[in-house]
Amino acid sequence: MSWNTFGRVLRFTTWGESHGPAIGAVVDGCPPGLALAESDIQPFLDARKPGQNKFTTQRQEADEVRILSGVFEGKTTGTPLSLLIENTDQRSKDYSEIANTYRPGHADYAYDAKYGFRDYRGGGRSSARETAMRVAAGAVARLVIPEVSIMAYVVEIGGDAVDPANFNAEEIGRNPFWCPDPEAAKRWEKLVDDARKAGSSLGAVVECIATGVPAGWGAPIYAKLDADLASGMMSINAVKGVEIGDGFGAARLTGEQNADPMRPGNDGPRFEANHAGGIAGGISTGQPVACRVAFKPTSSILTPVESITRDGEATEVRTKGRHDPCVGIRGTPVVEAMMALVLADHKMLHRAQCG
Ligand SMILES: Cc1cc2nc3c(=O)[nH]c(=O)nc-3n(C[C@H](O)[C@H](O)[C@H](O)COP(=O)(O)O)c2cc1C
Ligand SMILES: C=C(O[C@@H]1CC(C(=O)O)=C[C@@H](OP(=O)(O)O)[C@H]1O)C(=O)O
C-alpha cells in the first residue's frame, strides 16, 4: 500500500473536498468482465447519504454516482474505474468562522500544522464527505467477493448498549440507527435527540461481521488480514478503536477460555467458538470475520470549547452549521465498505499466490 492509495491488488484512492464541486474515487485492479452499473453502487450510497433524518447532518446531497471509465457494454474492462459524485449543497459561507480558529477534535489544527494552508470549507478534505467515495468503491469490491455477506450495525451509542438477547438482523434497516435491537433503537431516539438539542454529541460502537469468507485469505507477516482490517477501519474519520474478535476482551480471558475449540466437521473443521474473529496468524480460518469499531463523538458541537486562533490567541469555538450528532450511525455503511475492500483485495492476493 502506498501513502495515498488503499489495497495491494484491488486498489483505490479518493479525491475531492467537502465543499468543492465534486468528489471521486479511482478503483484500479478490478477484474475484467464483472457486470457493473450505477445501480449496483447507488443503494449503498443511499444508506450513507446525509440529510435522511434528524439524527444525522441536515446537509442535503443526492449522492448520485456516475461511472466515468472502466466499464464498456455493462462490464468492467480491467482498466481503472472512475466514479464521480457532484456536491450540490455546499453552502460554504457557513464555515467562514472556522477559517481562523481551530475546532478542537477536528483536523483543522493538524492540517495547518502539516500544510500551512487549508481548505477550511466544512473541513475540506478532512470532512467525512470523502467516505461517500469509499462506499462507492466498496460496492465495486462486493462484486469481487459474491461468496461473502457483510453486515454492520450499531451496538452502542453514548455508552448505552444493545441487549444481545434482542438481536434481530431484520431490525437493522428498519430504524435510523442501524440497530439490531428494537428496544435500544427506541431509547436512542431520545438519547441522540437530547444530545443534539443540548448542542452536544455522542460516540458509538459499530460491529461488522463477514460470513462466507473461506479459510486461507490473508498473509502471514506483512499483509495480515487483521492488520489490514484494522488499518482500513482506523482510516475512517472519527474512528478511535478497532477490535478483531474479542479484541481487548481477549486480554482478560485465560488460554482455555479464549481457545476456539475444533471438532471434525463435514467440510473442514467445526469451530466451537470464535474469539479470534475468524483470523489466525493473519489468515482467515473460514469462520465469520468479526470486528468492532469505536467512533468518537462528533467534535463540531454547539457547546463552546476552548481553543486558539491561527495566530495563537485564546478563543472559544462554538461550531454552527450542519453536523452529525453521532457520526457512528452514518459510519456504519462505511465500515461495511472497508470490510468489502479489504476482503476483495485479499481474495485477489490469495489467488495471485495460491491460485
Ligand atoms: C459518516 C461520518 C460523518 C461525520 N460527520 C461529521 C460531522 O458532521 N461533523 C464533524 O465535526 N465530524 C464529523 N465526522 C468526523 C470527522 O470527519 C472527523 O472527526 C475529522 O475528520 C477528524 O478526524 P479524526 O476524528 O479521525 O481525527 C464524521 C465522520 C463520519 C465517518
Ligand atoms: C457532507 C457530509 O457529512 C459532513 C461530514 C462533516 C465532517 O466534518 O466530517 C461535516 C459536515 O459537513 P461539512 O463537510 O459540509 O462541514 C457533514 O455534513 C457527508 O457525509 O456527505
mmCIF file with all atom_site columns, all heavy atoms in Angstrom, residues 154-157 160-164 166 171 175 177 179-192:
data_model
loop_
_atom_site.group_PDB
_atom_site.id
_atom_site.type_symbol
_atom_site.label_atom_id
_atom_site.label_alt_id
_atom_site.label_comp_id
_atom_site.label_asym_id
_atom_site.label_entity_id
_atom_site.label_seq_id
_atom_site.pdbx_PDB_ins_code
_atom_site.Cartn_x
_atom_site.Cartn_y
_atom_site.Cartn_z
_atom_site.occupancy
_atom_site.B_iso_or_equiv
_atom_site.pdbx_formal_charge
_atom_site.auth_seq_id
_atom_site.auth_comp_id
_atom_site.auth_asym_id
_atom_site.auth_atom_id
_atom_site.pdbx_PDB_model_num
ATOM 1   N N   . VAL A 1 154 ? -24.997 -0.898  14.555 1.00 0.00 ? 154 VAL A N   1
ATOM 2   C CA  . VAL A 1 154 ? -24.543 -0.150  15.734 1.00 0.00 ? 154 VAL A CA  1
ATOM 3   C C   . VAL A 1 154 ? -24.920 -0.939  16.988 1.00 0.00 ? 154 VAL A C   1
ATOM 4   O O   . VAL A 1 154 ? -26.072 -1.351  17.140 1.00 0.00 ? 154 VAL A O   1
ATOM 5   C CB  . VAL A 1 154 ? -25.184 1.259   15.763 1.00 0.00 ? 154 VAL A CB  1
ATOM 6   C CG1 . VAL A 1 154 ? -24.695 2.050   16.969 1.00 0.00 ? 154 VAL A CG1 1
ATOM 7   C CG2 . VAL A 1 154 ? -24.874 2.017   14.479 1.00 0.00 ? 154 VAL A CG2 1
ATOM 8   N N   . VAL A 1 155 ? -23.946 -1.164  17.874 1.00 0.00 ? 155 VAL A N   1
ATOM 9   C CA  . VAL A 1 155 ? -24.238 -1.930  19.090 1.00 0.00 ? 155 VAL A CA  1
ATOM 10  C C   . VAL A 1 155 ? -24.207 -1.060  20.348 1.00 0.00 ? 155 VAL A C   1
ATOM 11  O O   . VAL A 1 155 ? -24.577 -1.522  21.420 1.00 0.00 ? 155 VAL A O   1
ATOM 12  C CB  . VAL A 1 155 ? -23.280 -3.141  19.256 1.00 0.00 ? 155 VAL A CB  1
ATOM 13  C CG1 . VAL A 1 155 ? -23.556 -4.184  18.189 1.00 0.00 ? 155 VAL A CG1 1
ATOM 14  C CG2 . VAL A 1 155 ? -21.818 -2.714  19.244 1.00 0.00 ? 155 VAL A CG2 1
ATOM 15  N N   . GLU A 1 156 ? -23.792 0.181   20.206 1.00 0.00 ? 156 GLU A N   1
ATOM 16  C CA  . GLU A 1 156 ? -23.717 1.041   21.387 1.00 0.00 ? 156 GLU A CA  1
ATOM 17  C C   . GLU A 1 156 ? -23.719 2.499   20.958 1.00 0.00 ? 156 GLU A C   1
ATOM 18  O O   . GLU A 1 156 ? -23.039 2.854   19.996 1.00 0.00 ? 156 GLU A O   1
ATOM 19  C CB  . GLU A 1 156 ? -22.399 0.717   22.111 1.00 0.00 ? 156 GLU A CB  1
ATOM 20  C CG  . GLU A 1 156 ? -22.340 1.193   23.533 1.00 0.00 ? 156 GLU A CG  1
ATOM 21  C CD  . GLU A 1 156 ? -21.037 0.746   24.196 1.00 0.00 ? 156 GLU A CD  1
ATOM 22  O OE1 . GLU A 1 156 ? -20.692 -0.459  24.127 1.00 0.00 ? 156 GLU A OE1 1
ATOM 23  O OE2 . GLU A 1 156 ? -20.352 1.618   24.754 1.00 0.00 ? 156 GLU A OE2 1
ATOM 24  N N   . ILE A 1 157 ? -24.519 3.309   21.642 1.00 0.00 ? 157 ILE A N   1
ATOM 25  C CA  . ILE A 1 157 ? -24.448 4.762   21.441 1.00 0.00 ? 157 ILE A CA  1
ATOM 26  C C   . ILE A 1 157 ? -24.377 5.421   22.812 1.00 0.00 ? 157 ILE A C   1
ATOM 27  O O   . ILE A 1 157 ? -25.163 5.094   23.720 1.00 0.00 ? 157 ILE A O   1
ATOM 28  C CB  . ILE A 1 157 ? -25.668 5.312   20.648 1.00 0.00 ? 157 ILE A CB  1
ATOM 29  C CG1 . ILE A 1 157 ? -25.591 4.866   19.176 1.00 0.00 ? 157 ILE A CG1 1
ATOM 30  C CG2 . ILE A 1 157 ? -25.734 6.845   20.739 1.00 0.00 ? 157 ILE A CG2 1
ATOM 31  C CD1 . ILE A 1 157 ? -26.655 5.446   18.270 1.00 0.00 ? 157 ILE A CD1 1
ATOM 32  N N   . ASP A 1 160 ? -24.762 3.363   25.881 1.00 0.00 ? 160 ASP A N   1
ATOM 33  C CA  . ASP A 1 160 ? -25.969 2.530   26.028 1.00 0.00 ? 160 ASP A CA  1
ATOM 34  C C   . ASP A 1 160 ? -25.918 1.413   24.973 1.00 0.00 ? 160 ASP A C   1
ATOM 35  O O   . ASP A 1 160 ? -26.026 1.672   23.765 1.00 0.00 ? 160 ASP A O   1
ATOM 36  C CB  . ASP A 1 160 ? -27.222 3.406   25.831 1.00 0.00 ? 160 ASP A CB  1
ATOM 37  C CG  . ASP A 1 160 ? -28.507 2.598   26.022 1.00 0.00 ? 160 ASP A CG  1
ATOM 38  O OD1 . ASP A 1 160 ? -28.433 1.432   26.485 1.00 0.00 ? 160 ASP A OD1 1
ATOM 39  O OD2 . ASP A 1 160 ? -29.587 3.124   25.686 1.00 0.00 ? 160 ASP A OD2 1
ATOM 40  N N   . ALA A 1 161 ? -25.751 0.167   25.436 1.00 0.00 ? 161 ALA A N   1
ATOM 41  C CA  . ALA A 1 161 ? -25.517 -0.958  24.522 1.00 0.00 ? 161 ALA A CA  1
ATOM 42  C C   . ALA A 1 161 ? -26.800 -1.729  24.202 1.00 0.00 ? 161 ALA A C   1
ATOM 43  O O   . ALA A 1 161 ? -27.756 -1.729  24.982 1.00 0.00 ? 161 ALA A O   1
ATOM 44  C CB  . ALA A 1 161 ? -24.492 -1.906  25.130 1.00 0.00 ? 161 ALA A CB  1
ATOM 45  N N   . VAL A 1 162 ? -26.793 -2.408  23.069 1.00 0.00 ? 162 VAL A N   1
ATOM 46  C CA  . VAL A 1 162 ? -27.908 -3.295  22.706 1.00 0.00 ? 162 VAL A CA  1
ATOM 47  C C   . VAL A 1 162 ? -27.877 -4.507  23.633 1.00 0.00 ? 162 VAL A C   1
ATOM 48  O O   . VAL A 1 162 ? -26.832 -4.855  24.188 1.00 0.00 ? 162 VAL A O   1
ATOM 49  C CB  . VAL A 1 162 ? -27.820 -3.773  21.239 1.00 0.00 ? 162 VAL A CB  1
ATOM 50  C CG1 . VAL A 1 162 ? -27.872 -2.616  20.270 1.00 0.00 ? 162 VAL A CG1 1
ATOM 51  C CG2 . VAL A 1 162 ? -26.570 -4.611  21.002 1.00 0.00 ? 162 VAL A CG2 1
ATOM 52  N N   . ASP A 1 163 ? -29.024 -5.165  23.765 1.00 0.00 ? 163 ASP A N   1
ATOM 53  C CA  . ASP A 1 163 ? -29.106 -6.409  24.520 1.00 0.00 ? 163 ASP A CA  1
ATOM 54  C C   . ASP A 1 163 ? -28.986 -7.549  23.506 1.00 0.00 ? 163 ASP A C   1
ATOM 55  O O   . ASP A 1 163 ? -29.847 -7.684  22.635 1.00 0.00 ? 163 ASP A O   1
ATOM 56  C CB  . ASP A 1 163 ? -30.468 -6.456  25.242 1.00 0.00 ? 163 ASP A CB  1
ATOM 57  C CG  . ASP A 1 163 ? -30.641 -7.734  26.043 1.00 0.00 ? 163 ASP A CG  1
ATOM 58  O OD1 . ASP A 1 163 ? -29.796 -8.659  25.890 1.00 0.00 ? 163 ASP A OD1 1
ATOM 59  O OD2 . ASP A 1 163 ? -31.612 -7.806  26.804 1.00 0.00 ? 163 ASP A OD2 1
ATOM 60  N N   . PRO A 1 164 ? -27.929 -8.376  23.599 1.00 0.00 ? 164 PRO A N   1
ATOM 61  C CA  . PRO A 1 164 ? -27.757 -9.446  22.606 1.00 0.00 ? 164 PRO A CA  1
ATOM 62  C C   . PRO A 1 164 ? -28.989 -10.357 22.521 1.00 0.00 ? 164 PRO A C   1
ATOM 63  O O   . PRO A 1 164 ? -29.268 -10.922 21.460 1.00 0.00 ? 164 PRO A O   1
ATOM 64  C CB  . PRO A 1 164 ? -26.530 -10.215 23.109 1.00 0.00 ? 164 PRO A CB  1
ATOM 65  C CG  . PRO A 1 164 ? -25.806 -9.273  24.010 1.00 0.00 ? 164 PRO A CG  1
ATOM 66  C CD  . PRO A 1 164 ? -26.834 -8.351  24.591 1.00 0.00 ? 164 PRO A CD  1
ATOM 67  N N   . ASN A 1 166 ? -31.942 -9.466  22.363 1.00 0.00 ? 166 ASN A N   1
ATOM 68  C CA  . ASN A 1 166 ? -32.935 -8.833  21.469 1.00 0.00 ? 166 ASN A CA  1
ATOM 69  C C   . ASN A 1 166 ? -32.472 -8.774  20.026 1.00 0.00 ? 166 ASN A C   1
ATOM 70  O O   . ASN A 1 166 ? -33.134 -8.150  19.193 1.00 0.00 ? 166 ASN A O   1
ATOM 71  C CB  . ASN A 1 166 ? -33.213 -7.391  21.916 1.00 0.00 ? 166 ASN A CB  1
ATOM 72  C CG  . ASN A 1 166 ? -33.940 -7.337  23.231 1.00 0.00 ? 166 ASN A CG  1
ATOM 73  O OD1 . ASN A 1 166 ? -34.519 -8.328  23.658 1.00 0.00 ? 166 ASN A OD1 1
ATOM 74  N ND2 . ASN A 1 166 ? -33.908 -6.185  23.885 1.00 0.00 ? 166 ASN A ND2 1
ATOM 75  N N   . GLU A 1 171 ? -34.214 -6.001  11.958 1.00 0.00 ? 171 GLU A N   1
ATOM 76  C CA  . GLU A 1 171 ? -34.439 -4.661  12.521 1.00 0.00 ? 171 GLU A CA  1
ATOM 77  C C   . GLU A 1 171 ? -33.465 -3.626  11.960 1.00 0.00 ? 171 GLU A C   1
ATOM 78  O O   . GLU A 1 171 ? -33.736 -2.432  11.970 1.00 0.00 ? 171 GLU A O   1
ATOM 79  C CB  . GLU A 1 171 ? -34.248 -4.701  14.047 1.00 0.00 ? 171 GLU A CB  1
ATOM 80  C CG  . GLU A 1 171 ? -35.480 -5.041  14.823 1.00 0.00 ? 171 GLU A CG  1
ATOM 81  C CD  . GLU A 1 171 ? -36.609 -4.050  14.589 1.00 0.00 ? 171 GLU A CD  1
ATOM 82  O OE1 . GLU A 1 171 ? -36.357 -2.828  14.554 1.00 0.00 ? 171 GLU A OE1 1
ATOM 83  O OE2 . GLU A 1 171 ? -37.749 -4.510  14.414 1.00 0.00 ? 171 GLU A OE2 1
ATOM 84  N N   . ASN A 1 175 ? -34.787 0.907   11.453 1.00 0.00 ? 175 ASN A N   1
ATOM 85  C CA  . ASN A 1 175 ? -34.695 2.111   12.291 1.00 0.00 ? 175 ASN A CA  1
ATOM 86  C C   . ASN A 1 175 ? -33.530 2.974   11.813 1.00 0.00 ? 175 ASN A C   1
ATOM 87  O O   . ASN A 1 175 ? -32.644 2.490   11.100 1.00 0.00 ? 175 ASN A O   1
ATOM 88  C CB  . ASN A 1 175 ? -34.556 1.719   13.772 1.00 0.00 ? 175 ASN A CB  1
ATOM 89  C CG  . ASN A 1 175 ? -33.318 0.882   14.034 1.00 0.00 ? 175 ASN A CG  1
ATOM 90  O OD1 . ASN A 1 175 ? -32.207 1.403   13.946 1.00 0.00 ? 175 ASN A OD1 1
ATOM 91  N ND2 . ASN A 1 175 ? -33.481 -0.394  14.333 1.00 0.00 ? 175 ASN A ND2 1
ATOM 92  N N   . PHE A 1 177 ? -30.930 3.983   13.157 1.00 0.00 ? 177 PHE A N   1
ATOM 93  C CA  . PHE A 1 177 ? -29.642 3.812   13.845 1.00 0.00 ? 177 PHE A CA  1
ATOM 94  C C   . PHE A 1 177 ? -28.877 2.578   13.389 1.00 0.00 ? 177 PHE A C   1
ATOM 95  O O   . PHE A 1 177 ? -27.844 2.264   13.971 1.00 0.00 ? 177 PHE A O   1
ATOM 96  C CB  . PHE A 1 177 ? -29.866 3.731   15.370 1.00 0.00 ? 177 PHE A CB  1
ATOM 97  C CG  . PHE A 1 177 ? -30.602 4.904   15.920 1.00 0.00 ? 177 PHE A CG  1
ATOM 98  C CD1 . PHE A 1 177 ? -31.933 4.795   16.302 1.00 0.00 ? 177 PHE A CD1 1
ATOM 99  C CD2 . PHE A 1 177 ? -29.980 6.136   16.041 1.00 0.00 ? 177 PHE A CD2 1
ATOM 100 C CE1 . PHE A 1 177 ? -32.622 5.889   16.801 1.00 0.00 ? 177 PHE A CE1 1
ATOM 101 C CE2 . PHE A 1 177 ? -30.656 7.232   16.537 1.00 0.00 ? 177 PHE A CE2 1
ATOM 102 C CZ  . PHE A 1 177 ? -31.990 7.110   16.913 1.00 0.00 ? 177 PHE A CZ  1
ATOM 103 N N   . CYS A 1 179 ? -29.667 -0.360  14.053 1.00 0.00 ? 179 CYS A N   1
ATOM 104 C CA  . CYS A 1 179 ? -29.611 -1.044  15.340 1.00 0.00 ? 179 CYS A CA  1
ATOM 105 C C   . CYS A 1 179 ? -30.390 -2.357  15.275 1.00 0.00 ? 179 CYS A C   1
ATOM 106 O O   . CYS A 1 179 ? -31.551 -2.377  14.854 1.00 0.00 ? 179 CYS A O   1
ATOM 107 C CB  . CYS A 1 179 ? -30.206 -0.133  16.422 1.00 0.00 ? 179 CYS A CB  1
ATOM 108 S SG  . CYS A 1 179 ? -30.271 -0.918  18.025 1.00 0.00 ? 179 CYS A SG  1
ATOM 109 N N   . PRO A 1 180 ? -29.773 -3.463  15.717 1.00 0.00 ? 180 PRO A N   1
ATOM 110 C CA  . PRO A 1 180 ? -30.458 -4.762  15.640 1.00 0.00 ? 180 PRO A CA  1
ATOM 111 C C   . PRO A 1 180 ? -31.418 -5.017  16.803 1.00 0.00 ? 180 PRO A C   1
ATOM 112 O O   . PRO A 1 180 ? -32.094 -6.043  16.817 1.00 0.00 ? 180 PRO A O   1
ATOM 113 C CB  . PRO A 1 180 ? -29.288 -5.759  15.681 1.00 0.00 ? 180 PRO A CB  1
ATOM 114 C CG  . PRO A 1 180 ? -28.208 -5.053  16.445 1.00 0.00 ? 180 PRO A CG  1
ATOM 115 C CD  . PRO A 1 180 ? -28.372 -3.591  16.179 1.00 0.00 ? 180 PRO A CD  1
ATOM 116 N N   . ASP A 1 181 ? -31.459 -4.101  17.778 1.00 0.00 ? 181 ASP A N   1
ATOM 117 C CA  . ASP A 1 181 ? -32.297 -4.288  18.975 1.00 0.00 ? 181 ASP A CA  1
ATOM 118 C C   . ASP A 1 181 ? -33.358 -3.186  18.982 1.00 0.00 ? 181 ASP A C   1
ATOM 119 O O   . ASP A 1 181 ? -33.047 -2.014  19.221 1.00 0.00 ? 181 ASP A O   1
ATOM 120 C CB  . ASP A 1 181 ? -31.381 -4.211  20.217 1.00 0.00 ? 181 ASP A CB  1
ATOM 121 C CG  . ASP A 1 181 ? -32.166 -4.155  21.523 1.00 0.00 ? 181 ASP A CG  1
ATOM 122 O OD1 . ASP A 1 181 ? -33.411 -4.126  21.500 1.00 0.00 ? 181 ASP A OD1 1
ATOM 123 O OD2 . ASP A 1 181 ? -31.503 -4.120  22.582 1.00 0.00 ? 181 ASP A OD2 1
ATOM 124 N N   . PRO A 1 182 ? -34.639 -3.545  18.721 1.00 0.00 ? 182 PRO A N   1
ATOM 125 C CA  . PRO A 1 182 ? -35.672 -2.500  18.613 1.00 0.00 ? 182 PRO A CA  1
ATOM 126 C C   . PRO A 1 182 ? -35.829 -1.683  19.887 1.00 0.00 ? 182 PRO A C   1
ATOM 127 O O   . PRO A 1 182 ? -36.137 -0.491  19.831 1.00 0.00 ? 182 PRO A O   1
ATOM 128 C CB  . PRO A 1 182 ? -36.955 -3.292  18.300 1.00 0.00 ? 182 PRO A CB  1
ATOM 129 C CG  . PRO A 1 182 ? -36.638 -4.726  18.546 1.00 0.00 ? 182 PRO A CG  1
ATOM 130 C CD  . PRO A 1 182 ? -35.161 -4.896  18.478 1.00 0.00 ? 182 PRO A CD  1
ATOM 131 N N   . GLU A 1 183 ? -35.590 -2.310  21.042 1.00 0.00 ? 183 GLU A N   1
ATOM 132 C CA  . GLU A 1 183 ? -35.735 -1.560  22.299 1.00 0.00 ? 183 GLU A CA  1
ATOM 133 C C   . GLU A 1 183 ? -34.625 -0.507  22.441 1.00 0.00 ? 183 GLU A C   1
ATOM 134 O O   . GLU A 1 183 ? -34.880 0.626   22.855 1.00 0.00 ? 183 GLU A O   1
ATOM 135 C CB  . GLU A 1 183 ? -35.699 -2.518  23.498 1.00 0.00 ? 183 GLU A CB  1
ATOM 136 C CG  . GLU A 1 183 ? -36.977 -3.314  23.612 1.00 0.00 ? 183 GLU A CG  1
ATOM 137 C CD  . GLU A 1 183 ? -36.922 -4.331  24.745 1.00 0.00 ? 183 GLU A CD  1
ATOM 138 O OE1 . GLU A 1 183 ? -36.166 -4.134  25.712 1.00 0.00 ? 183 GLU A OE1 1
ATOM 139 O OE2 . GLU A 1 183 ? -37.651 -5.337  24.615 1.00 0.00 ? 183 GLU A OE2 1
ATOM 140 N N   . ALA A 1 184 ? -33.415 -0.912  22.065 1.00 0.00 ? 184 ALA A N   1
ATOM 141 C CA  . ALA A 1 184 ? -32.305 0.050   22.130 1.00 0.00 ? 184 ALA A CA  1
ATOM 142 C C   . ALA A 1 184 ? -32.561 1.189   21.142 1.00 0.00 ? 184 ALA A C   1
ATOM 143 O O   . ALA A 1 184 ? -32.344 2.369   21.459 1.00 0.00 ? 184 ALA A O   1
ATOM 144 C CB  . ALA A 1 184 ? -30.987 -0.644  21.821 1.00 0.00 ? 184 ALA A CB  1
ATOM 145 N N   . ALA A 1 185 ? -33.053 0.845   19.946 1.00 0.00 ? 185 ALA A N   1
ATOM 146 C CA  . ALA A 1 185 ? -33.311 1.877   18.929 1.00 0.00 ? 185 ALA A CA  1
ATOM 147 C C   . ALA A 1 185 ? -34.313 2.904   19.456 1.00 0.00 ? 185 ALA A C   1
ATOM 148 O O   . ALA A 1 185 ? -34.183 4.107   19.209 1.00 0.00 ? 185 ALA A O   1
ATOM 149 C CB  . ALA A 1 185 ? -33.817 1.224   17.647 1.00 0.00 ? 185 ALA A CB  1
ATOM 150 N N   . LYS A 1 186 ? -35.299 2.435   20.194 1.00 0.00 ? 186 LYS A N   1
ATOM 151 C CA  . LYS A 1 186 ? -36.302 3.335   20.769 1.00 0.00 ? 186 LYS A CA  1
ATOM 152 C C   . LYS A 1 186 ? -35.626 4.281   21.782 1.00 0.00 ? 186 LYS A C   1
ATOM 153 O O   . LYS A 1 186 ? -35.843 5.494   21.754 1.00 0.00 ? 186 LYS A O   1
ATOM 154 C CB  . LYS A 1 186 ? -37.373 2.465   21.463 1.00 0.00 ? 186 LYS A CB  1
ATOM 155 C CG  . LYS A 1 186 ? -38.698 3.085   21.698 1.00 0.00 ? 186 LYS A CG  1
ATOM 156 C CD  . LYS A 1 186 ? -39.608 3.062   20.479 1.00 0.00 ? 186 LYS A CD  1
ATOM 157 C CE  . LYS A 1 186 ? -40.418 4.338   20.432 1.00 0.00 ? 186 LYS A CE  1
ATOM 158 N NZ  . LYS A 1 186 ? -40.341 5.046   19.181 1.00 0.00 ? 186 LYS A NZ  1
ATOM 159 N N   . ARG A 1 187 ? -34.794 3.699   22.636 1.00 0.00 ? 187 ARG A N   1
ATOM 160 C CA  . ARG A 1 187 ? -34.106 4.524   23.654 1.00 0.00 ? 187 ARG A CA  1
ATOM 161 C C   . ARG A 1 187 ? -33.200 5.560   22.988 1.00 0.00 ? 187 ARG A C   1
ATOM 162 O O   . ARG A 1 187 ? -33.075 6.693   23.442 1.00 0.00 ? 187 ARG A O   1
ATOM 163 C CB  . ARG A 1 187 ? -33.233 3.650   24.569 1.00 0.00 ? 187 ARG A CB  1
ATOM 164 C CG  . ARG A 1 187 ? -33.965 2.687   25.446 1.00 0.00 ? 187 ARG A CG  1
ATOM 165 C CD  . ARG A 1 187 ? -33.043 2.156   26.548 1.00 0.00 ? 187 ARG A CD  1
ATOM 166 N NE  . ARG A 1 187 ? -31.848 1.492   26.078 1.00 0.00 ? 187 ARG A NE  1
ATOM 167 C CZ  . ARG A 1 187 ? -31.754 0.193   25.764 1.00 0.00 ? 187 ARG A CZ  1
ATOM 168 N NH1 . ARG A 1 187 ? -32.839 -0.571  25.851 1.00 0.00 ? 187 ARG A NH1 1
ATOM 169 N NH2 . ARG A 1 187 ? -30.609 -0.341  25.374 1.00 0.00 ? 187 ARG A NH2 1
ATOM 170 N N   . TRP A 1 188 ? -32.553 5.138   21.879 1.00 0.00 ? 188 TRP A N   1
ATOM 171 C CA  . TRP A 1 188 ? -31.572 6.015   21.239 1.00 0.00 ? 188 TRP A CA  1
ATOM 172 C C   . TRP A 1 188 ? -32.227 7.236   20.580 1.00 0.00 ? 188 TRP A C   1
ATOM 173 O O   . TRP A 1 188 ? -31.577 8.259   20.405 1.00 0.00 ? 188 TRP A O   1
ATOM 174 C CB  . TRP A 1 188 ? -30.760 5.229   20.199 1.00 0.00 ? 188 TRP A CB  1
ATOM 175 C CG  . TRP A 1 188 ? -29.865 4.199   20.816 1.00 0.00 ? 188 TRP A CG  1
ATOM 176 C CD1 . TRP A 1 188 ? -29.581 4.031   22.149 1.00 0.00 ? 188 TRP A CD1 1
ATOM 177 C CD2 . TRP A 1 188 ? -29.135 3.173   20.119 1.00 0.00 ? 188 TRP A CD2 1
ATOM 178 N NE1 . TRP A 1 188 ? -28.731 2.971   22.320 1.00 0.00 ? 188 TRP A NE1 1
ATOM 179 C CE2 . TRP A 1 188 ? -28.436 2.422   21.103 1.00 0.00 ? 188 TRP A CE2 1
ATOM 180 C CE3 . TRP A 1 188 ? -29.006 2.803   18.777 1.00 0.00 ? 188 TRP A CE3 1
ATOM 181 C CZ2 . TRP A 1 188 ? -27.616 1.339   20.771 1.00 0.00 ? 188 TRP A CZ2 1
ATOM 182 C CZ3 . TRP A 1 188 ? -28.189 1.735   18.453 1.00 0.00 ? 188 TRP A CZ3 1
ATOM 183 C CH2 . TRP A 1 188 ? -27.506 1.017   19.442 1.00 0.00 ? 188 TRP A CH2 1
ATOM 184 N N   . GLU A 1 189 ? -33.518 7.115   20.248 1.00 0.00 ? 189 GLU A N   1
ATOM 185 C CA  . GLU A 1 189 ? -34.201 8.286   19.654 1.00 0.00 ? 189 GLU A CA  1
ATOM 186 C C   . GLU A 1 189 ? -34.085 9.471   20.602 1.00 0.00 ? 189 GLU A C   1
ATOM 187 O O   . GLU A 1 189 ? -33.714 10.570  20.221 1.00 0.00 ? 189 GLU A O   1
ATOM 188 C CB  . GLU A 1 189 ? -35.676 7.970   19.397 1.00 0.00 ? 189 GLU A CB  1
ATOM 189 C CG  . GLU A 1 189 ? -35.875 7.128   18.160 1.00 0.00 ? 189 GLU A CG  1
ATOM 190 C CD  . GLU A 1 189 ? -37.336 6.878   17.861 1.00 0.00 ? 189 GLU A CD  1
ATOM 191 O OE1 . GLU A 1 189 ? -38.212 7.637   18.327 1.00 0.00 ? 189 GLU A OE1 1
ATOM 192 O OE2 . GLU A 1 189 ? -37.592 5.884   17.148 1.00 0.00 ? 189 GLU A OE2 1
ATOM 193 N N   . LYS A 1 190 ? -34.399 9.220   21.855 1.00 0.00 ? 190 LYS A N   1
ATOM 194 C CA  . LYS A 1 190 ? -34.348 10.304  22.850 1.00 0.00 ? 190 LYS A CA  1
ATOM 195 C C   . LYS A 1 190 ? -32.892 10.676  23.179 1.00 0.00 ? 190 LYS A C   1
ATOM 196 O O   . LYS A 1 190 ? -32.539 11.852  23.272 1.00 0.00 ? 190 LYS A O   1
ATOM 197 C CB  . LYS A 1 190 ? -35.111 9.872   24.109 1.00 0.00 ? 190 LYS A CB  1
ATOM 198 C CG  . LYS A 1 190 ? -35.142 10.935  25.179 1.00 0.00 ? 190 LYS A CG  1
ATOM 199 C CD  . LYS A 1 190 ? -36.185 10.667  26.236 1.00 0.00 ? 190 LYS A CD  1
ATOM 200 C CE  . LYS A 1 190 ? -35.969 11.492  27.507 1.00 0.00 ? 190 LYS A CE  1
ATOM 201 N NZ  . LYS A 1 190 ? -35.504 12.850  27.314 1.00 0.00 ? 190 LYS A NZ  1
ATOM 202 N N   . LEU A 1 191 ? -32.074 9.636   23.326 1.00 0.00 ? 191 LEU A N   1
ATOM 203 C CA  . LEU A 1 191 ? -30.667 9.865   23.700 1.00 0.00 ? 191 LEU A CA  1
ATOM 204 C C   . LEU A 1 191 ? -29.971 10.789  22.698 1.00 0.00 ? 191 LEU A C   1
ATOM 205 O O   . LEU A 1 191 ? -29.347 11.792  23.063 1.00 0.00 ? 191 LEU A O   1
ATOM 206 C CB  . LEU A 1 191 ? -29.964 8.506   23.751 1.00 0.00 ? 191 LEU A CB  1
ATOM 207 C CG  . LEU A 1 191 ? -28.567 8.436   24.323 1.00 0.00 ? 191 LEU A CG  1
ATOM 208 C CD1 . LEU A 1 191 ? -28.600 8.710   25.829 1.00 0.00 ? 191 LEU A CD1 1
ATOM 209 C CD2 . LEU A 1 191 ? -27.958 7.051   24.065 1.00 0.00 ? 191 LEU A CD2 1
ATOM 210 N N   . VAL A 1 192 ? -30.105 10.460  21.407 1.00 0.00 ? 192 VAL A N   1
ATOM 211 C CA  . VAL A 1 192 ? -29.398 11.234  20.377 1.00 0.00 ? 192 VAL A CA  1
ATOM 212 C C   . VAL A 1 192 ? -30.061 12.601  20.200 1.00 0.00 ? 192 VAL A C   1
ATOM 213 O O   . VAL A 1 192 ? -29.374 13.618  20.049 1.00 0.00 ? 192 VAL A O   1
ATOM 214 C CB  . VAL A 1 192 ? -29.349 10.450  19.033 1.00 0.00 ? 192 VAL A CB  1
ATOM 215 C CG1 . VAL A 1 192 ? -28.659 11.273  17.950 1.00 0.00 ? 192 VAL A CG1 1
ATOM 216 C CG2 . VAL A 1 192 ? -28.625 9.121   19.221 1.00 0.00 ? 192 VAL A CG2 1
#
